């Protein structure tokens, strides 16, 4: 059997980390088993679905690298198919027209509440053979009246529902439009989905969906209802906790692989391994191993993982990400070697690519501004002779590399009988504008001789730093 999974978001809110984790589990399980992964946009709620939410789903999935083998399918483009199935069900008697009016149903409900019964449709029109003139009927599914439905959930274990508790679901409204739970059923059947992996807020829909699939003679898929992600304080994940569009994480400088790595560990583990490459996740993931306890979102751990992924990545693979962040700061660089060098020099000191870009401005601008505090502390009149000596020494070096710069500065420190820090700090402030940067030798090597000397000159002539 080929495994077929689907991610079926409703574009009524922006794709956030909860949805992304469901998508990841669906995608991983399909990849792990050599199966197929389908993307389906459940946009039948036309009032609440937005084009912006669809865009975030498609761009978010692309950014995360969760590529679909099929789709995106849109439910709103499948209405003819849903109508066809409804006609067939009416003919087969697994569905029926219901002419009950809203006031009648409201009155029924009130009576039930007054009797302390659970409000439900009692099947008034189940056996009606004649239409009621002047009323456009809805179509209801004829749910079995007796017996149980057992969801053999891969995460929760067996969950039993009584058919007597499930009333006859409306599958088409009076205007003929199909309803949500019914569309899901037709799609899962047509798309031959074998594993329905979704949030456990859908577990209560499952017995009805199983009954409908059975009525249609479809093979039942297996179900895995994955637990919710909660905020760090144990309440429902909200915007405040980071339940923002997944694209926000791109903006904030996270790597998609780091976010996926973070999400895979919510509810799933593999020994005590924390850091996973994409390939490692695929090799180790099994939906049967997901546990049912809700997990809390921990932004600190996500940051930690992001840095782990930055530190372990091939620098070249990070270049496009850093470039995108620099662009957000209005900076451009076509110099691949410089970008890779900056990544190597900065990745131990930044947790996100955004932070890395912000810390690295001075590599990519023509003019730097000296931070007044740093300049006052490290570039006072007493420091300038040292800066001049460094400038002289660096100008003379036959080869410009971190190793030669390192040797030259050390030599100078010995000659001047001073610590390397005393020399490095004024130079650092002069060339970066701040008191914090990667090691001075690496910084100068990357900056290049010309720009280094120009920035030292700017300080020495006490004029504002000129174009470097
Ligand atoms: N459209 C549903 C949602 O966005 C998912 C339904 C399903 O996976 O069956 O929550």
């Amino acid at each position: 059997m080929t495994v077929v999974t689907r991610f079926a978001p409703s574009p009524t809110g922006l794709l956030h980390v909860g949805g992304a984790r469901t998508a990841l589990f669906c995608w991983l399980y399909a990849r792990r088993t050599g199966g197929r992964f389908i993307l389906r946009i459940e946009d039948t709620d036309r009032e609440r679905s937005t084009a912006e939410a669809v865009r975030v789903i498609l761009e978010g999935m692309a950014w995360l690298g969760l590529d679909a083998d099929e789709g995106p399918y849109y439910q709103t483009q499948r209405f003819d198919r849903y109508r066809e199935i409804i006609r067939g069900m009416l003919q087969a008697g697994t569905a029926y027209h219901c002419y009950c009016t809203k006031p009648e149903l409201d009155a029924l409900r009130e009576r039930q509440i007054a009797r302390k019964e659970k409000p439900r449709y009692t099947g008034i029109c189940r056996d009606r053979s004649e239409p009621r003139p002047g009323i456009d009927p809805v179509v209801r599914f004829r749910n079995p009246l007796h017996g149980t439905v057992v969801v053999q959930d891969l995460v929760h274990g067996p969950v039993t529902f009584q058919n007597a508790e499930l009333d006859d679901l409306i599958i088409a409204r009076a205007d003929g439009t199909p309803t949500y739970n019914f569309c899901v059923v037709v799609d899962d059947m047509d798309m031959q989905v074998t594993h329905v992996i979704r949030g456990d807020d859908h577990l209560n829909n499952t017995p009805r969906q199983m009954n409908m699939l059975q009525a249609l003679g479809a093979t039942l898929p297996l179900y895995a209802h994955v637990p919710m992600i909660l905020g760090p304080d144990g309440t429902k994940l909200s915007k405040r906790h980071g339940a923002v569009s997944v694209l926000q994480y791109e903006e904030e400088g996270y790597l998609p692989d780091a976010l996926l790595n973070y999400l895979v560990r919510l509810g799933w583990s593999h020994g005590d391994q924390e850091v996973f490459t994409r390939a490692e996740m695929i090799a180790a993931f099994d939906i049967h191993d997901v546990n049912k306890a809700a997990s809390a979102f921990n932004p600190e751990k996500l940051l930690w993982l992001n840095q782990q992924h930055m530190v372990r990545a091939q620098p070249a693979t990070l270049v496009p990400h850093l470039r995108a962040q620099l662009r957000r700061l209005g900076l451009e660089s076509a110099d691949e070697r410089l970008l890779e060098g900056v990544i190597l020099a900065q990745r131990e000191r930044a947790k996100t690519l955004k932070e890395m870009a912000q810390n690295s401005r001075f590599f990519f601008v023509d003019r730097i501004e000296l931070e007044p505090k740093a300049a006052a502390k490290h570039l006072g009149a007493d420091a300038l002779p040292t800066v001049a000596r460094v400038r002289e020494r660096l100008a003379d070096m036959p080869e410009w590399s971190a190793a030669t710069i390192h040797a030259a500065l050390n030599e100078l420190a010995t000659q001047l009988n001073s610590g390397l820090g005393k020399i490095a700090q004024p130079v650092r402030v002069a060339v970066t504008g701040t008191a914090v940067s990667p090691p001075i030798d690496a910084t100068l090597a990357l900056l290049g001789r010309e720009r280094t000397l120009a920035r030292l000159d700017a300080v020495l002539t006490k004029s504002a730093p000129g174009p470097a």
Side-chain angles (χ1 to χ4, degrees):
M1 174 191 69
T2 307
V3 165
V4 180
T5 63
R6 88 299 195 273
F7 175 51
S10 301
T12 50
L14 299 183
L15 176 63
H16 61 70
V17 290
R21 190 200 38 177
T22 303
L24 172 65
F25 283 3
C26 296
W27 180 86
L28 276 178
Y29 194 58
R31 293 291 167 265
R32 160 77 194 268
T33 54
R36 278 184 301 131
F37 170 62
I38 296 174
L39 176 61
R40 180 168 90 213
I41 311 289
E42 302 203 321
D43 54 352
T44 50
D45 185 344
R46 283 179 155 152
E47 267 164 34
R48 289 175 57 234
S49 297
T50 66
E52 167 66 358
V54 173
R55 182 189 69 82
V56 172
I57 291 166
L58 299 182
E59 281 183 25
M61 295 291 281
W63 176 66
L64 291 166
L66 301 179
D67 54 315
D69 302 300
E70 275 181 47
Y73 294 115
Y74 292 83
Q75 289 188 323
T76 45
Q77 292 174 7
R78 287 176 45 79
F79 277 8
D80 287 348
R81 174 65 179 151
Y82 304 138
R83 285 200 191 98
E84 180 189 337
I85 300 280
I86 287 168
R87 273 196 302 275
M89 289 173 79
L90 285 168
Q91 265 162 22
T94 52
Y96 61 91
H97 283 124
C98 169
Y99 294 86
C100 295
T101 61
K102 183 155 188 312
E104 286 166 352
L105 292 173
D106 287 348
L108 171 68
R109 196 184 148 80
E110 270 166 37
R111 283 198 301 278
Q112 287 169 331
I113 291 174
R115 290 200 299 260
K116 302 219 170 355
E117 288 170 12
K118 200 172 144 199
R120 58 195 296 276
Y121 182 66
T122 48
I124 303 158
C125 291
R126 265 189 162 228
D127 302 315
R128 177 190 292 283
S129 47
E130 293 305 313
R132 276 170 81 183
I135 296 178
D136 288 331
V138 299
V139 179
R140 287 186 188 267
F141 170 61
R142 195 184 293 276
N143 197 77
L145 294 172
H146 310 290
T148 56
V149 184
V150 183
V151 183
Q152 296 290 353
D153 195 86
L154 299 180
V155 175
H156 289 259
V159 186
T160 303
F161 295 85
Q162 301 294 328
N163 271 321
E165 297 278 315
L166 308 171
D167 51 6
D168 290 349
L169 186 78
I170 296 177
I171 60 177
R173 301 181 186 88
D175 65 4
T177 55
T179 58
Y180 167 71
N181 271 296
F182 172 73
C183 298
V184 172
V185 160
V186 176
D187 288 353
D188 285 342
M189 171 177 78
D190 284 355
M191 296 169 195
Q192 297 177 342
V193 172
T194 61
H195 290 72
V196 169
I197 300 170
R198 59 186 172 197
D200 62 8
D201 47 336
H202 288 281
L203 183 54
N204 283 331
N205 290 331
T206 306
R208 286 197 171 87
Q209 294 184 5
M210 286 169 69
N211 281 339
M212 287 190 274
L213 284 165
Q214 233 142 12
L216 290 167
T219 313
L220 291 181
L222 295 169
Y223 292 90
H225 288 92
V226 301
M228 307 292 277
I229 303 179
L230 302 176
D233 53 2
T235 62
K236 189 172 182 286
L237 194 67
S238 69
K239 266 195 180 160
R240 184 166 55 89
H241 298 126
V244 290
S245 140
V246 288
L247 295 176
Q248 183 87 22
Y249 287 92
E250 177 187 20
E251 241 172 75
E252 293 301 323
Y254 289 86
L255 287 170
D257 286 23
L259 182 56
L260 294 182
N261 184 165
Y262 176 69
L263 293 176
V264 82
R265 288 281 291 99
L266 295 179
W268 175 81
S269 57
H270 183 63
D272 51 14
Q273 186 172 348
E274 288 292 356
V275 185
F276 291 82
T277 64
R278 207 171 267 259
E280 286 170 341
M281 278 194 264
I282 293 174
F285 182 79
D286 193 329
I287 191 68
H288 299 81
D289 297 337
V290 171
N291 67 53
K292 64 179 175 196
S295 9
F297 187 73
N298 177 346
E300 288 302 318
K301 186 168 170 198
L302 173 57
L303 267 176
W304 176 78
L305 273 172
N306 199 53
Q307 187 168 35
Q308 291 300 312
H309 278 260
M310 295 203 303
V311 169
R312 290 165 195 228
Q314 290 293 335
T317 62
L318 299 182
V319 165
H321 299 278
L322 177 59
R323 208 177 246 151
Q325 290 298 335
L326 288 170
R327 225 169 270 141
R328 290 202 164 96
L329 300 175
L331 304 171
E332 288 286 345
S333 175
D335 186 343
E336 204 75 24
R337 202 193 51 86
L338 173 62
L339 288 160
E340 280 189 36
V342 168
I343 288 164
L344 279 170
Q346 295 280 42
R347 63 184 175 178
E348 303 276 353
R349 33 191 98 234
K351 290 206 159 71
T352 66
L353 287 139
K354 179 175 177 176
E355 193 185 343
M356 185 189 283
Q358 284 165 342
N359 295 346
S360 305
R361 272 193 100 90
F362 65 88
F363 284 116
F364 302 99
V365 290
D366 288 335
R367 285 172 171 281
I368 57 158
E369 305 276 340
L370 300 186
E371 246 177 38
K373 249 189 169 165
K377 183 156 177 212
H378 298 290
L379 287 175
D382 55 329
L384 293 184
T386 311
V387 174
R389 289 292 295 274
V390 172
R391 196 241 176 255
E392 201 180 307
R393 186 75 185 77
L394 294 179
D396 273 354
M397 282 186 3
E399 189 204 321
W400 189 262
S401 71
T404 56
I405 294 167
H406 185 79
L409 294 183
N410 263 331
E411 218 179 280
L412 206 58
T414 316
Q415 277 172 24
L416 297 175
N417 207 5
S418 109
L420 187 59
K422 273 249 161 12
I423 296 188
Q425 211 51 359
V427 174
R428 172 173 286 121
V429 176
V431 300
T432 71
T434 74
V436 186
S437 85
I440 194 68
D441 47 4
T443 302
L444 300 188
L446 282 170
L447 209 50
R449 188 184 328 238
E450 222 176 290
R451 288 202 291 175
T452 300
L453 297 184
R455 289 181 190 184
L456 295 180
D457 284 342
V459 165
L460 289 170
T461 55
K462 288 259 184 186
S463 60

